Amino acid sequence: MPRIMLEKVTMQFGDIYAVKDIDLVVRDGEYLTVLGPSGCGKTSLIKVISGIWTPSSGRVLIDGEDVTSIPIEDRNVGYVFQNIALFPHMEVLKNVSYGPLMRDMPLDERNAVAEKYLQLVKMLDKMGMLPGELSSGEQQKVAISRALASGSNLLLLDEPLSALDARVRMELRYEIRRLVKDLGITVVHVTHDQDEAMSVSDRIVVMRNGGIVETDTPMALYRRPNNLFTAYFIGETNLIEGMVSDKNAHNIVVRLRDGTDVKVNGNRHFNIDDAVVLSVRPEYVYTAKEGLTAKVTQVIYMGSYWRVIARAESMDMVEYNIQRYENPPAIGSDVNLVFNPKMLMVYKRPTEGISEAIRLE
Ligand SMILES: Nc1ncnc2c1ncn2[C@@H]1O[C@H](COP(=O)(O)OP(=O)(O)OP(=O)(O)O)[C@@H](O)[C@H]1O
Ligand SMILES: [Mg+2]
Protein backbone atom coordinates (compact mmCIF):
# COMPACT_ATOMS: atom_id res chain seq x y z
CA MET A 1 0.00 0.00 0.00
CA PRO A 2 1.35 3.48 -0.77
CA ARG A 3 2.14 5.56 2.29
CA ILE A 4 0.85 8.79 0.83
CA MET A 5 -1.55 9.37 -2.01
CA LEU A 6 -2.60 12.76 -3.29
CA GLU A 7 -5.61 12.97 -5.55
CA LYS A 8 -6.16 16.13 -7.58
CA VAL A 9 -4.85 18.32 -4.76
CA THR A 10 -5.21 22.05 -5.27
CA MET A 11 -4.28 24.85 -2.87
CA GLN A 12 -5.59 28.21 -3.94
CA PHE A 13 -5.17 31.72 -2.50
CA GLY A 14 -7.52 34.09 -4.33
CA ASP A 15 -6.50 33.66 -7.94
CA ILE A 16 -3.03 32.24 -7.08
CA TYR A 17 -2.68 28.49 -7.35
CA ALA A 18 0.14 27.52 -4.97
CA VAL A 19 -0.51 23.88 -5.89
CA LYS A 20 -2.67 22.82 -8.79
CA ASP A 21 -4.27 19.46 -9.53
CA ILE A 22 -1.51 17.31 -8.11
CA ASP A 23 -1.69 13.51 -8.20
CA LEU A 24 1.16 11.82 -6.37
CA VAL A 25 1.97 8.48 -4.80
CA VAL A 26 4.72 8.07 -2.21
CA ARG A 27 5.65 4.44 -1.67
CA ASP A 28 6.24 2.80 1.69
CA GLY A 29 9.86 3.38 2.77
CA GLU A 30 10.55 5.65 -0.16
CA TYR A 31 12.85 8.68 -0.02
CA LEU A 32 11.03 11.13 -2.26
CA THR A 33 12.37 14.58 -3.01
CA VAL A 34 10.33 17.50 -4.27
CA LEU A 35 12.57 19.73 -6.37
CA GLY A 36 11.68 22.97 -8.07
CA PRO A 37 12.49 26.67 -8.29
CA SER A 38 11.55 29.15 -5.59
CA GLY A 39 7.82 29.83 -5.44
CA CYS A 40 6.80 26.72 -7.41
CA GLY A 41 4.67 25.39 -4.54
CA LYS A 42 6.95 22.96 -2.69
CA THR A 43 6.20 24.25 0.81
CA SER A 44 2.50 24.48 -0.01
CA LEU A 45 2.52 20.85 -1.13
CA ILE A 46 4.25 19.62 2.02
CA LYS A 47 1.92 21.70 4.21
CA VAL A 48 -1.03 19.95 2.61
CA ILE A 49 0.60 16.52 3.06
CA SER A 50 1.30 17.28 6.72
CA GLY A 51 -2.14 18.65 7.58
CA ILE A 52 -0.96 22.19 8.35
CA TRP A 53 -3.26 23.20 5.50
CA THR A 54 -6.48 21.65 4.28
CA PRO A 55 -6.38 21.78 0.47
CA SER A 56 -8.92 23.89 -1.42
CA SER A 57 -9.88 20.71 -3.26
CA GLY A 58 -8.67 17.14 -3.68
CA ARG A 59 -7.87 14.39 -1.18
CA VAL A 60 -4.86 13.32 0.89
CA LEU A 61 -4.62 9.67 1.92
CA ILE A 62 -2.06 8.31 4.38
CA ASP A 63 -1.88 4.52 4.69
CA GLY A 64 -5.14 4.33 2.78
CA GLU A 65 -7.02 6.59 5.17
CA ASP A 66 -8.50 9.87 3.98
CA VAL A 67 -6.79 12.45 6.23
CA THR A 68 -7.64 15.52 4.13
CA SER A 69 -9.18 17.43 7.02
CA ILE A 70 -7.21 15.88 9.90
CA PRO A 71 -4.83 18.47 11.45
CA ILE A 72 -1.07 17.89 11.72
CA GLU A 73 -1.13 17.09 15.45
CA ASP A 74 -3.29 14.05 14.74
CA ARG A 75 -1.27 12.72 11.80
CA ASN A 76 1.89 11.43 13.49
CA VAL A 77 4.39 12.99 11.13
CA GLY A 78 7.90 14.26 11.88
CA TYR A 79 8.25 17.70 10.31
CA VAL A 80 11.15 20.06 9.72
CA PHE A 81 9.70 23.45 8.81
CA GLN A 82 11.38 25.68 6.27
CA ASN A 83 11.52 28.45 8.90
CA ILE A 84 12.73 25.96 11.55
CA ALA A 85 10.12 26.80 14.25
CA LEU A 86 11.64 25.39 17.44
CA PHE A 87 9.89 26.02 20.77
CA PRO A 88 11.70 29.23 21.74
CA HIS A 89 11.28 28.91 25.51
CA MET A 90 12.54 25.31 25.67
CA GLU A 91 16.15 24.23 25.82
CA VAL A 92 17.53 22.16 22.96
CA LEU A 93 17.17 18.88 24.84
CA LYS A 94 13.52 19.59 25.67
CA ASN A 95 12.80 20.55 22.08
CA VAL A 96 14.17 17.27 20.82
CA SER A 97 12.54 15.14 23.52
CA TYR A 98 9.15 16.78 22.98
CA GLY A 99 7.92 14.08 20.58
CA PRO A 100 8.89 11.22 22.91
CA LEU A 101 7.21 13.15 25.79
CA MET A 102 3.99 13.31 23.78
CA ARG A 103 4.26 9.54 23.39
CA ASP A 104 4.46 9.22 27.21
CA MET A 105 8.02 7.93 27.19
CA PRO A 106 9.61 8.03 30.66
CA LEU A 107 12.16 10.80 31.31
CA ASP A 108 15.30 8.64 31.13
CA GLU A 109 14.29 7.02 27.88
CA ARG A 110 13.24 10.20 26.17
CA ASN A 111 16.44 11.95 27.15
CA ALA A 112 18.38 9.00 25.77
CA VAL A 113 16.49 9.23 22.45
CA ALA A 114 17.01 12.98 22.29
CA GLU A 115 20.71 12.65 23.05
CA LYS A 116 21.11 9.99 20.37
CA TYR A 117 19.73 12.29 17.68
CA LEU A 118 21.56 15.35 19.00
CA GLN A 119 24.73 13.30 18.78
CA LEU A 120 23.92 12.51 15.14
CA VAL A 121 23.88 16.21 14.26
CA LYS A 122 26.80 16.95 16.60
CA MET A 123 24.76 19.20 18.88
CA LEU A 124 25.04 17.30 22.14
CA ASP A 125 27.20 19.97 23.72
CA LYS A 126 24.50 22.60 23.11
CA MET A 127 21.62 20.67 24.64
CA GLY A 128 21.18 23.11 27.52
CA MET A 129 20.86 26.19 25.34
CA LEU A 130 17.77 28.01 24.12
CA PRO A 131 17.04 28.19 20.36
CA GLY A 132 17.57 31.97 20.42
CA GLU A 133 21.14 31.38 21.56
CA LEU A 134 21.96 29.22 18.52
CA SER A 135 22.96 30.14 14.98
CA SER A 136 20.39 29.37 12.29
CA GLY A 137 22.41 26.39 11.09
CA GLU A 138 22.51 25.01 14.64
CA GLN A 139 18.77 25.56 15.00
CA GLN A 140 18.26 23.64 11.80
CA LYS A 141 20.27 20.72 13.14
CA VAL A 142 18.13 20.71 16.29
CA ALA A 143 15.00 20.74 14.13
CA ILE A 144 16.29 17.69 12.23
CA SER A 145 17.02 15.76 15.40
CA ARG A 146 13.63 16.74 16.83
CA ALA A 147 11.88 15.36 13.73
CA LEU A 148 13.91 12.12 13.89
CA ALA A 149 13.30 11.76 17.63
CA SER A 150 9.56 12.15 17.14
CA GLY A 151 9.46 8.42 16.43
CA SER A 152 7.19 8.91 13.43
CA ASN A 153 7.77 6.68 10.44
CA LEU A 154 6.80 9.49 8.10
CA LEU A 155 9.19 12.42 7.84
CA LEU A 156 8.40 15.65 6.03
CA LEU A 157 11.47 17.84 5.55
CA ASP A 158 11.15 21.32 4.07
CA GLU A 159 14.63 22.56 3.08
CA PRO A 160 16.08 20.90 6.19
CA LEU A 161 19.70 21.67 5.31
CA SER A 162 19.43 25.12 3.76
CA ALA A 163 21.08 27.03 6.61
CA LEU A 164 24.10 24.75 6.86
CA ASP A 165 27.45 25.24 5.20
CA ALA A 166 28.29 23.05 2.22
CA ARG A 167 30.46 20.50 4.00
CA VAL A 168 28.03 19.86 6.89
CA ARG A 169 25.11 19.83 4.46
CA MET A 170 26.73 17.05 2.48
CA GLU A 171 27.60 14.99 5.54
CA LEU A 172 24.14 15.34 7.03
CA ARG A 173 22.26 14.50 3.86
CA TYR A 174 23.95 11.09 3.73
CA GLU A 175 23.51 10.56 7.49
CA ILE A 176 19.79 11.26 7.21
CA ARG A 177 19.37 8.97 4.24
CA ARG A 178 21.28 6.14 5.91
CA LEU A 179 19.29 6.49 9.10
CA VAL A 180 15.84 6.59 7.50
CA LYS A 181 16.71 3.63 5.28
CA ASP A 182 17.88 1.66 8.34
CA LEU A 183 14.64 2.50 10.14
CA GLY A 184 12.35 2.03 7.10
CA ILE A 185 11.03 5.59 7.39
CA THR A 186 9.19 7.19 4.46
CA VAL A 187 10.49 10.67 3.62
CA VAL A 188 9.22 13.59 1.60
CA HIS A 189 12.09 16.05 1.36
CA VAL A 190 11.63 19.47 -0.23
CA THR A 191 14.63 21.21 -1.70
CA HIS A 192 15.64 23.56 -4.46
CA ASP A 193 19.17 22.12 -4.45
CA GLN A 194 19.43 19.68 -7.33
CA ASP A 195 22.65 18.06 -6.08
CA GLU A 196 20.95 17.31 -2.79
CA ALA A 197 17.94 15.85 -4.60
CA MET A 198 20.10 13.75 -6.93
CA SER A 199 22.21 12.27 -4.17
CA VAL A 200 19.61 11.26 -1.57
CA SER A 201 16.42 10.39 -3.44
CA ASP A 202 14.84 7.18 -4.60
CA ARG A 203 12.66 9.36 -6.81
CA ILE A 204 12.47 13.07 -7.52
CA VAL A 205 9.32 15.06 -8.23
CA VAL A 206 10.12 18.06 -10.42
CA MET A 207 7.67 20.90 -9.75
CA ARG A 208 7.00 24.11 -11.59
CA ASN A 209 4.22 26.71 -11.25
CA GLY A 210 2.23 24.64 -8.77
CA GLY A 211 2.25 21.49 -10.90
CA ILE A 212 4.37 18.37 -11.36
CA VAL A 213 6.55 18.40 -14.47
CA GLU A 214 7.68 14.80 -14.09
CA THR A 215 8.59 12.20 -11.46
CA ASP A 216 11.33 9.59 -11.81
CA THR A 217 14.57 8.24 -10.41
CA PRO A 218 17.56 10.63 -10.32
CA MET A 219 19.26 8.63 -13.06
CA ALA A 220 16.27 8.65 -15.40
CA LEU A 221 15.74 12.38 -14.88
CA TYR A 222 19.40 13.07 -15.60
CA ARG A 223 19.82 10.75 -18.57
CA ARG A 224 16.40 10.75 -20.18
CA PRO A 225 14.31 13.67 -19.00
CA ASN A 226 10.91 13.74 -20.73
CA ASN A 227 10.67 17.45 -20.46
CA LEU A 228 12.89 20.29 -21.60
CA PHE A 229 12.44 22.03 -18.25
CA THR A 230 13.75 18.98 -16.39
CA ALA A 231 16.75 18.70 -18.73
CA TYR A 232 17.58 22.30 -17.91
CA PHE A 233 16.79 22.24 -14.20
CA ILE A 234 18.50 18.96 -13.27
CA GLY A 235 22.21 18.98 -13.97
CA GLU A 236 23.73 21.18 -16.64
CA THR A 237 22.88 21.04 -20.29
CA ASN A 238 23.36 22.76 -23.64
CA LEU A 239 20.13 23.60 -25.43
CA ILE A 240 20.59 24.06 -29.18
CA GLU A 241 17.84 24.79 -31.70
CA GLY A 242 17.54 23.00 -35.01
CA MET A 243 15.25 21.41 -37.61
CA VAL A 244 14.91 17.73 -38.47
CA SER A 245 16.58 17.44 -41.89
CA ASP A 246 16.56 13.69 -42.46
CA LYS A 247 15.40 10.44 -40.93
CA ASN A 248 15.89 6.72 -41.51
CA ALA A 249 15.04 3.48 -39.76
CA HIS A 250 17.44 4.08 -36.84
CA ASN A 251 18.04 7.77 -36.35
CA ILE A 252 17.19 11.31 -37.28
CA VAL A 253 19.43 14.13 -38.41
CA VAL A 254 19.02 17.58 -36.90
CA ARG A 255 20.35 20.57 -38.81
CA LEU A 256 21.56 23.29 -36.46
CA ARG A 257 21.13 26.98 -37.25
CA ASP A 258 24.64 27.26 -38.69
CA GLY A 259 23.97 24.35 -41.07
CA THR A 260 25.81 21.62 -39.13
CA ASP A 261 24.06 18.25 -39.29
CA VAL A 262 23.87 16.26 -36.06
CA LYS A 263 22.94 12.60 -36.00
CA VAL A 264 20.69 11.51 -33.14
CA ASN A 265 19.87 7.89 -32.32
CA GLY A 266 16.19 6.93 -32.23
CA ASN A 267 13.59 9.70 -32.01
CA ARG A 268 11.74 8.29 -35.01
CA HIS A 269 8.52 10.03 -33.95
CA PHE A 270 9.92 13.32 -35.28
CA ASN A 271 9.33 14.26 -38.91
CA ILE A 272 11.43 16.13 -41.43
CA ASP A 273 11.14 19.92 -40.95
CA ASP A 274 10.04 19.62 -37.31
CA ALA A 275 11.46 22.46 -35.20
CA VAL A 276 13.36 20.88 -32.30
CA VAL A 277 15.72 21.60 -29.41
CA LEU A 278 18.72 19.37 -28.77
CA SER A 279 19.80 18.90 -25.18
CA VAL A 280 23.28 17.61 -24.49
CA ARG A 281 25.15 17.51 -21.19
CA PRO A 282 28.64 19.09 -21.25
CA GLU A 283 30.27 15.72 -20.57
CA TYR A 284 28.88 14.34 -23.85
CA VAL A 285 30.37 17.06 -26.04
CA TYR A 286 33.77 16.31 -27.60
CA THR A 287 36.19 18.03 -29.94
CA ALA A 288 36.86 16.42 -33.34
CA LYS A 289 38.28 17.22 -36.79
CA GLU A 290 34.85 18.18 -38.07
CA GLY A 291 31.68 19.27 -36.35
CA LEU A 292 30.03 22.40 -35.06
CA THR A 293 32.63 25.15 -35.41
CA ALA A 294 32.83 27.39 -32.38
CA LYS A 295 35.18 29.96 -30.87
CA VAL A 296 36.38 29.43 -27.32
CA THR A 297 35.23 32.32 -25.13
CA GLN A 298 36.01 31.05 -21.64
CA VAL A 299 38.00 28.34 -19.90
CA ILE A 300 37.22 27.65 -16.26
CA TYR A 301 39.27 25.48 -13.91
CA MET A 302 36.85 23.26 -11.98
CA GLY A 303 39.37 21.22 -9.98
CA SER A 304 38.59 17.77 -11.32
CA TYR A 305 38.11 19.01 -14.92
CA TRP A 306 38.18 22.09 -17.15
CA ARG A 307 34.95 23.68 -18.36
CA VAL A 308 35.22 25.28 -21.81
CA ILE A 309 32.59 27.66 -23.18
CA ALA A 310 32.50 28.23 -26.93
CA ARG A 311 30.30 30.26 -29.26
CA ALA A 312 29.16 29.01 -32.67
CA GLU A 313 28.58 31.33 -35.62
CA SER A 314 24.86 30.97 -35.02
CA MET A 315 25.59 32.48 -31.55
CA ASP A 316 24.66 29.16 -29.90
CA MET A 317 26.78 28.76 -26.78
CA VAL A 318 28.14 25.29 -26.06
CA GLU A 319 29.79 24.18 -22.83
CA TYR A 320 31.97 21.10 -22.62
CA ASN A 321 34.49 19.47 -20.31
CA ILE A 322 38.14 18.59 -20.72
CA GLN A 323 40.00 16.17 -18.48
CA ARG A 324 42.06 17.96 -15.86
CA TYR A 325 45.34 16.55 -17.19
CA GLU A 326 44.71 17.74 -20.77
CA ASN A 327 45.65 21.15 -22.07
CA PRO A 328 42.61 23.41 -22.43
CA PRO A 329 42.26 25.37 -25.71
CA ALA A 330 43.33 28.99 -25.87
CA ILE A 331 40.64 31.64 -25.61
CA GLY A 332 39.76 32.84 -29.12
CA SER A 333 40.80 29.58 -30.79
CA ASP A 334 38.39 27.60 -33.01
CA VAL A 335 37.17 24.16 -32.01
CA ASN A 336 34.96 21.62 -33.80
CA LEU A 337 32.40 20.06 -31.52
CA VAL A 338 30.54 16.77 -31.83
CA PHE A 339 27.92 15.22 -29.57
CA ASN A 340 27.50 11.66 -28.36
CA PRO A 341 24.50 10.57 -30.51
CA LYS A 342 23.30 8.19 -27.77
CA MET A 343 23.21 10.89 -25.14
CA LEU A 344 21.42 13.58 -27.11
CA MET A 345 17.87 14.35 -26.16
CA VAL A 346 15.51 15.95 -28.66
CA TYR A 347 12.44 18.00 -27.75
CA LYS A 348 9.81 19.64 -29.88
CA ARG A 349 10.73 23.32 -29.92
CA PRO A 350 8.34 25.03 -27.49
CA THR A 351 5.97 27.43 -29.22
CA GLU A 352 6.56 29.95 -26.42
CA GLY A 353 10.35 29.84 -27.08
CA ILE A 354 13.14 28.12 -25.14
CA SER A 355 13.74 30.89 -22.62
CA GLU A 356 10.07 30.94 -21.64
CA ALA A 357 9.97 27.13 -21.41
CA ILE A 358 12.85 27.05 -18.94
CA ARG A 359 12.05 30.25 -17.03
CA LEU A 360 12.37 29.71 -13.29
CA GLU A 361 9.93 32.27 -11.90
N1 LIG B 1 -0.42 31.91 2.81
C1 LIG B 1 -0.33 32.27 1.52
N2 LIG B 1 -1.13 33.22 1.00
C2 LIG B 1 -1.06 33.57 -0.29
N3 LIG B 1 -0.19 33.03 -1.18
C3 LIG B 1 0.64 32.08 -0.72
C4 LIG B 1 0.62 31.65 0.64
N4 LIG B 1 1.57 30.70 0.80
C5 LIG B 1 2.15 30.55 -0.41
N5 LIG B 1 1.59 31.37 -1.32
C6 LIG B 1 1.98 31.48 -2.74
O1 LIG B 1 2.04 30.21 -3.29
C7 LIG B 1 3.15 30.08 -4.18
C8 LIG B 1 4.00 28.91 -3.77
O2 LIG B 1 4.65 29.19 -2.53
P1 LIG B 1 5.51 28.11 -1.76
O3 LIG B 1 5.91 28.70 -0.45
O4 LIG B 1 4.77 26.84 -1.71
O5 LIG B 1 6.77 27.98 -2.72
P2 LIG B 1 8.12 27.16 -2.54
O6 LIG B 1 8.27 26.30 -3.75
O7 LIG B 1 8.18 26.51 -1.23
O8 LIG B 1 9.25 28.31 -2.64
P3 LIG B 1 10.67 28.46 -1.86
O9 LIG B 1 11.64 27.59 -2.60
O10 LIG B 1 11.00 29.91 -2.04
O11 LIG B 1 10.48 28.06 -0.44
C9 LIG B 1 3.86 31.42 -4.13
O12 LIG B 1 3.46 32.16 -5.25
C10 LIG B 1 3.39 32.04 -2.86
O13 LIG B 1 3.37 33.44 -2.94
MG1 LIG C 1 9.35 26.71 0.42
Side-chain angles (χ1 to χ4, degrees):
M1 189 194 297
R3 286 304 317 273
I4 306 171
M5 208 157 133
L6 305 185
E7 292 176 356
K8 296 255 163 299
V9 165
T10 292
M11 188 75 216
Q12 198 176 349
F13 298 99
D15 34 356
I16 294 176
Y17 287 90
V19 167
K20 198 172 178 190
D21 249 359
I22 284 197
D23 289 313
L24 179 66
V25 169
V26 187
R27 299 167 191 150
D28 192 21
E30 184 170 32
Y31 200 118
L32 186 93
T33 308
V34 180
L35 178 69
S38 186
C40 72
K42 304 179 297 294
T43 294
S44 305
L45 182 69
I46 211 164
K47 281 185 174 170
V48 169
I49 295 175
S50 68
I52 292 175
W53 286 349
T54 304
S56 317
S57 61
R59 296 206 308 159
V60 180
L61 291 95
I62 296 183
D63 296 328
E65 186 196 347
D66 186 339
V67 296
T68 314
S69 23
I70 294 180
I72 182 165
E73 54 274 22
D74 299 328
R75 284 198 195 180
N76 186 27
V77 294
Y79 197 132
V80 175
F81 294 84
Q82 185 167 15
N83 52 7
I84 303 173
L86 297 172
F87 303 121
H89 55 284
M90 283 187 198
E91 292 140 27
V92 164
L93 183 69
K94 288 216 171 108
N95 259 283
V96 179
S97 60
Y98 184 78
L101 171 69
M102 290 295 107
R103 285 185 286 127
D104 296 325
M105 204 182 265
L107 181 68
D108 283 0
E109 267 180 60
R110 64 179 190 256
N111 280 351
V113 169
E115 285 173 23
K116 173 176 151 195
Y117 290 109
L118 282 169
Q119 169 79 26
L120 180 87
V121 297
K122 302 197 174 70
M123 284 293 290
L124 210 46
D125 56 334
K126 305 262 166 88
M127 70 180 179
M129 293 171 82
L130 290 169
E133 297 167 336
L134 304 176
S135 75
S136 49
E138 289 168 336
Q139 290 180 38
Q140 202 157 42
K141 291 198 235 173
V142 174
I144 293 167
S145 48
R146 185 177 62 175
L148 291 168
S150 72
S152 166
N153 59 6
L154 181 53
L155 270 189
L156 305 176
L157 311 174
D158 192 351
E159 307 271 7
L161 308 171
S162 60
L164 305 173
D165 57 71
R167 164 75 36 206
V168 178
R169 200 184 315 161
M170 254 195 272
E171 276 169 22
L172 260 185
R173 64 163 88 131
Y174 300 127
E175 286 284 339
I176 294 173
R177 179 173 162 105
R178 197 173 47 75
L179 189 78
V180 299
K181 286 295 171 189
D182 282 353
L183 299 174
I185 294 174
T186 306
V187 181
V188 181
H189 174 153
V190 162
T191 180
H192 60 260
D193 179 335
Q194 48 124 337
D195 282 340
E196 192 171 298
M198 287 287 284
S199 58
V200 297
S201 317
D202 295 320
R203 284 190 307 152
I204 300 175
V205 176
V206 181
M207 270 188 88
R208 189 183 186 218
N209 293 334
I212 292 179
V213 178
E214 62 185 299
T215 305
D216 216 324
T217 60
M219 197 191 276
L221 291 179
Y222 189 81
R223 292 170 68 98
R224 297 265 168 251
N226 284 325
N227 193 284
L228 185 63
F229 179 77
T230 312
Y232 172 75
F233 196 68
I234 293 192
E236 293 180 285
T237 200
N238 295 291
L239 298 176
I240 308 169
E241 287 184 32
M243 300 273 274
V244 178
S245 60
D246 199 4
K247 85 187 248 188
N248 64 30
H250 306 291
N251 49 262
I252 60 170
V253 176
V254 173
R255 182 158 297 164
L256 306 185
R257 290 187 296 178
D258 74 338
T260 307
D261 281 337
V262 176
K263 196 179 96 177
V264 188
N265 287 14
N267 289 284
R268 296 256 316 128
H269 55 284
F270 286 106
N271 294 309
I272 289 175
D273 287 343
D274 278 354
V276 294
V277 181
L278 290 180
S279 165
V280 59
R281 307 270 182 209
E283 64 268 30
Y284 297 119
V285 179
Y286 317 106
T287 51
K289 288 216 170 64
E290 282 181 10
L292 174 67
T293 307
K295 207 172 264 312
V296 174
T297 60
Q298 229 178 319
V299 176
I300 305 159
Y301 179 63
M302 305 293 285
S304 58
Y305 62 95
W306 297 93
R307 167 61 52 86
V308 182
I309 306 178
R311 185 176 55 230
E313 262 173 35
S314 55
M315 302 307 273
D316 285 313
M317 301 299 292
V318 182
E319 302 198 11
Y320 65 100
N321 298 343
I322 286 186
Q323 305 278 2
R324 66 179 188 284
Y325 45 80
E326 286 177 24
N327 288 327
I331 290 175
S333 62
D334 283 331
V335 286
N336 291 308
L337 301 175
V338 292
F339 312 115
N340 181 335
K342 290 194 191 124
M343 299 311 289
L344 276 166
M345 293 298 292
V346 189
Y347 303 94
K348 191 170 169 292
R349 196 190 299 166
T351 43
E352 70 272 29
I354 296 182
S355 53
E356 187 61 25
I358 61 174
R359 201 164 53 88
L360 295 183
E361 307 276 334

